[in-house]
Amino acid sequence: MTLDEILKEIEKAQSIVILTHESPDGDAIGSSLALKFMIEKLDKKVDVIIPEYSRLFDFLPSVEEIKEESEIKNYDLAISVDCATFKRMAKREYFDKANKTIVIDHHGSNNMYGDLNYVNPVSPSCCEILAGMIQYFEIDITKEIGICIMTGIITDTGGFRHQGINPETFEFTAELIRKGVNIPEIYKKTLRTTTKANFELTKRVMNRMEFFEEGKIAFTYITSEDEKEVCAEPGDHEGLVNIGMDIEGVEVSIFIRQKDEENAYKISLRSFDKINVSDICLMFGGGGHPRAAGALVQGDVEQVKQKVIKEVRKAL
Ligand code: 5GP
Ligand code: MN
């Protein structure tokens, strides 16, 4: 599908809603707000519905306009950003009831669940796709749009560290600096600031870190009990999976987190160039990117650990 078709749908719609995945990260919330600004530039009214997100994102422009719910139930147009599957979408009932739906995403595992699907798995962040759209639509890139887009680029690339960054990433970043976007400030607010609860969870995750296959696999976990004890809020577990990646020799980092005191764990996998963790997570009904993926796996810590390590071992 083409960008012209997307533009036509936006221009036609009287009511528009933007949605993203649950537990939104910087790319999810940055894309949502960047798209909101873009659509407003086209003289259209638009709602962003995100029921909960980390207060670390409170610095984003217009974040106070994000809604938890809406009086409108049947939007003309619903657009999802950074969301690979319908199942992962927060407040998906608004998507379900919309007359027309558009999916804008960068996950290779996206299953094209919209009426129109604009998916580029090569893009390192959904925000970068939006950056391309802005240029195509000839919308002026304001400082506000720049901050939102930069937040997605910085968080999804781990601060320009992950595979997938390309010349366009830096060209666009250079343009944003010229617009007055303060990259070190966004970097500090998104990647270098942790909440107290995240710090307390980090200590537990480090203490429990185990290694397998001569140090190629790192494994660690947190339970619902841990989160209660440190008074964790939404988003406080973000980034914990990366700790294992910083250790010499580790090729796959596994972090599992108990789901709401249930007998199930949300698994998060990260890898460098060799292992495709998206393939592994697909086997458990999840998905993601080759180097960053997740899924929900039934069982207690020990059972989930054994199941996941078994599959990672096979892939090594
Ligand atoms: P995280 O480990 O940070 O939760 O997720 C890493 C990546 O995998 C994200 O891009 C996310 O969209 C994807 N992902 C995580 N969990 C799931 C899941 O349960 N299903 C699918 N399809 N993708 C997931
Ligand atoms: Mn993303």
Side-chain angles (χ1 to χ4, degrees), residues 194-205:
T194 60
T195 59
K196 186 76 185 3
N198 177 276
F199 178 72
E200 292 301 326
L201 292 175
T202 300
K203 289 202 275 190
R204 296 182 189 209
V205 156

Side-chain angles (χ1 to χ4, degrees), residues 44-314:
K44 286 282 169 179
K45 264 181 67 71
V46 53
D47 290 327
V48 176
I49 304 179
I50 303 178
E52 52 176 24
Y53 55 87
S54 166
R55 58 190 163 77
L56 289 179
F57 296 124
D58 282 348
F59 75 94
L60 286 169
S62 278
V63 74
E64 69 284 351
E65 287 177 26
I66 292 177
K67 296 182 172 190
E68 286 180 26
E69 291 286 351
S70 169
E71 344 37 272
I72 306 172
K73 299 298 168 207
N74 299 85
Y75 281 90
D76 282 343
L77 176 65
I79 308 177
S80 84
V81 289
D82 196 42
C83 184
T85 61
F86 178 67
K87 210 177 81 189
R88 249 177 85 70
M89 197 187 299
K91 293 287 163 191
R92 51 185 176 261
E93 57 270 28
Y94 292 99
F95 196 89
D96 209 23
K97 293 201 183 114
N99 293 332
K100 194 91 185 185
T101 59
I102 297 178
V103 171
I104 302 172
D105 188 28
H106 71 124
H107 292 88
S109 59
N110 189 296
N111 58 8
M112 314 284 173
Y113 54 91
D115 295 326
L116 302 176
N117 300 279
Y118 193 74
V119 178
N120 179 5
V122 181
S123 187
S125 66
C126 190
C127 274
E128 228 174 290
I129 297 178
L130 292 178
M133 280 175 64
I134 292 175
Q135 287 161 340
Y136 187 84
F137 293 168
E138 295 179 344
I139 294 172
D140 182 37
I141 301 170
T142 59
K143 190 172 168 185
E144 285 73 33
I145 295 181
I147 292 171
C148 296
I149 289 188
M150 209 57 235
T151 297
I153 292 179
I154 286 183
T155 53
D156 257 30
T157 64
F160 307 107
R161 283 181 306 170
H162 299 163
Q163 297 293 335
I165 52 161
N166 53 60
E168 289 76 33
T169 313
F170 290 97
E171 277 155 16
F172 195 69
T173 302
E175 194 181 331
L176 293 185
I177 293 173
R178 286 190 201 101
K179 294 269 176 196
V181 175
N182 189 329
I183 309 282
E185 192 177 302
I186 296 174
Y187 197 105
K188 164 81 179 111
K189 284 178 172 158
T190 55
L191 295 181
R192 299 205 54 201
T193 305
T194 60
T195 59
K196 186 76 185 3
N198 177 276
F199 178 72
E200 292 301 326
L201 292 175
T202 300
K203 289 202 275 190
R204 296 182 189 209
V205 156
M206 284 187 162
N207 277 330
R208 290 172 187 160
M209 190 79 74
E210 287 181 86
F211 300 95
F212 301 90
E213 298 293 306
E214 290 134 16
K216 291 195 186 105
I217 304 172
F219 171 89
T220 189
Y221 70 94
I222 54 171
T223 61
S224 300
E225 185 71 20
D226 290 321
E227 295 200 53
K228 230 189 288 166
E229 281 168 11
V230 306
C231 304
E233 287 179 30
D236 279 336
H237 64 280
E238 290 295 334
L240 295 175
V241 64
N242 295 321
I243 297 170
M245 289 309 279
D246 291 339
I247 304 154
E248 185 182 20
V250 170
E251 285 179 23
V252 179
S253 171
I254 307 166
F255 163 68
I256 71 169
R257 169 179 176 240
Q258 190 176 6
K259 184 178 159 49
D260 310 325
E261 295 172 31
E262 289 172 25
N263 190 41
Y265 279 76
K266 183 76 224 303
I267 67 167
S268 274
L269 270 64
R270 298 289 184 273
S271 77
F272 288 120
D273 12 293
K274 283 192 199 140
I275 311 295
N276 185 329
V277 288
S278 181
D279 285 350
I280 295 171
C281 289
L282 270 173
M283 291 190 251
F284 295 110
H289 310 283
R291 313 285 163 250
L296 185 70
V297 180
Q298 301 298 319
D300 59 23
V301 177
E302 201 51 40
Q303 289 165 334
V304 174
K305 173 177 151 186
Q306 293 311 333
K307 281 189 210 177
V308 179
I309 288 178
K310 188 174 154 200
E311 294 307 324
V312 175
R313 269 203 179 105
K314 279 194 230 164

